[in-house]
C-alpha cells in the first residue's frame, strides 16, 4: 500500500545500524542463536542453501539508501520513495494499530525496536547476517531488517515487487512480536520441523497476524495527523503481498535450491499455506481465526 504523502513518520521507533552506526558490522554466518533466531525469521532456510538459488548474491548492500540514515524519514512521501523510510513508516503504522486491537485481549502492547542493518549485526539471539532474512529476536524484543533483502525478495525469491510485498515482511516480524506478547512464541521450539509442526504453525500465525494489520492499515488514523498512514488497499497490493508470502514458502525455496522438496524439514510452511493464512488474517481480521494450532492441518 502506498503511504499518504502527508503522513508523519516517527523514526525514533527505529534504530539505524548501517554505516558504522550502532553495533552493526560484518559478521560471519553465526547461527549461534540457532533455533531462537530462526523462530522469528521470515525464511526457514539454512543460509548455505541460498547458494543454490539463482539471482544476485547476498550482502551486496547498495550504498544509495544508507547514506542519509533513517533520522531523515519524516513523511509518507519519503516512505513512498525510500525503502528504509518505508520500513520505518510500516513499523509506525503497526505500532499505531496493534495496541487498540489487542486491548480487549488484555495485552499491554509494547513497541518493539525496528533495527535497520546492513550485512550483519549482533542480537540477543546471536550474530546474524542478511542471509537469514528479516527476523524477530524474542531475547531483545527487536525486529531486524536489512533493506538489501527486500531487493532479493524479487531478484532471488521471485516475489512480485510493490510496497505491500515489502510491508508484509515487516508485518510478519511484528506478528512474532505479538506472539511474544501473548506468550505463544516459544511453542515453535517444542516441535521445530515438519509440515504440521509447531514451528510451521507459529510462522503461519505470524502471516495471519500480518493479514489482520493489512485489513485495518488504511483505516487506522495516525494520532498525529488524524489521517491514516496508508492509502486504501488495491487488488494489486493484495496480490503483491500474496506473491511475497508465496515466494518465501518452504517448498518453493527448497525446490529452487535443491530441485526437490521435503515437508519433514519444513519450518515455515509451504507457499500455499503461507498465502492461505495471510489471506485468512486479511479476510477475517480476527485474532481467533489465526489460531493455526486449532486445526488439524494448517
Ligand atoms: Zn517468521
Amino acid at each position: 500500500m502506498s503511504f499518504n504523502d502527508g503522513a508523519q513518520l516517527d523514526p525514533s521507533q527505529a534504530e539505524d545500524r548501517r554505516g558504522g552506526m550502532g553495533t552493526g558490522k560484518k559478521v560471519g554466518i553465526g547461527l549461534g542463536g540457532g533455533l531462537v533466531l530462526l523462530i522469528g525469521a521470515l525464511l526457514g532456510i539454512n543460509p548455505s542453501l541460498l547458494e543454490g538459488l539463482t539471482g544476485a548474491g547476498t550482502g551486496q548492500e547498495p550504498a544509495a539508501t544508507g547514506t542519509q540514515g533513517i533520522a531523515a524519514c519524516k513523511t509518507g512521501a519519503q516512505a513512498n520513495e525510500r525503502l528504509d523510510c518505508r520500513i520505518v513508516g510500516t513499523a509506525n503504522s503497526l505500532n499505531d494499530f496493534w495496541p487498540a486491537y489487542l486491548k480487549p485481549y488484555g495485552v499491554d502492547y509494547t513497541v518493539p525496536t525496528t533495527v535497520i542493518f546492513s550485512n550483519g549485526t549482533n542480537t540477543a539471539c546471536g550474530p546474524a547476517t542478511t542471509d537469514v532474512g528479516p527476523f524477530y529476536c524474542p531475547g531483545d524484543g527487536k525486529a531486524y531488517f536489512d533493506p538489501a533483502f527486500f531487493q532479493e525478495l524479487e531478484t532471488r525469491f521471485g516475489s512480485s515487487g510493490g510496497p505491500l510485498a515489502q510491508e508484509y515482511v515487516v508485518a510478519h516480524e511484528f506478528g512474532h512480536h505479538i506472539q511474544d506478547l501473548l506468550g505463544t512464541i516459544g511453542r515453535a521450539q517444542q516441535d521445530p520441523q515438519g509440515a504440521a509442526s509447531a514451528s510451521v504453525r507459529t510462522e503461519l500465525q505470524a502471516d495471519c497476524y500480518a493479514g489482520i494489520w493489512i485489513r485495518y492499515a488504511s483505516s487506522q488514523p495516525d494520532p498525529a495527523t488524524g489521517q491514516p498512514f496508508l492509502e486504501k488497499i488495491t487488488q494489486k497490493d493484495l496480490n503483491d503481498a500474496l506473491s511475497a508470502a508465496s515466494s518465501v514458502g518452504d517448498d518453493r525455496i527448497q525446490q529452487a535450491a535443491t530441485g526437490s522438496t521435503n515437508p519433514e524439514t519444513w519450518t515455515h510452511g509451504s507457499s500455499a499455506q503461507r498465502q492461505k493464512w495471510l489471506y485468512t488474517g486479511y479476510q477475517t481480521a480476527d485474532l481467533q481465526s489465526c489460531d493455526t494450532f486449532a486445526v488439524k492441518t494448517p
Side-chain angles (χ1 to χ4, degrees), residues 5 39-40 47 128 156 176 245-246 268-269 274:
D5 283 346
I39 280 170
R156 202 166 204 179
H176 288 305
S246 172
H268 282 61
R274 300 198 70 162

Side-chain angles (χ1 to χ4, degrees), residues 38-43 134 172-173 176 202-203 206-207 268 274:
L38 289 172
I39 280 170
L42 179 75
L43 312 167
H172 172 94
E173 299 310 335
H176 288 305
T202 298
E203 293 300 333
D207 284 338
H268 282 61
R274 300 198 70 162

Side-chain angles (χ1 to χ4, degrees), residues 105-122:
Y105 297 93
V107 176
D108 246 342
Y109 186 83
T110 55
V111 171
T113 300
T114 296
V115 179
I116 313 252
F117 71 98
S118 58
N119 300 317
T121 194
N122 290 313

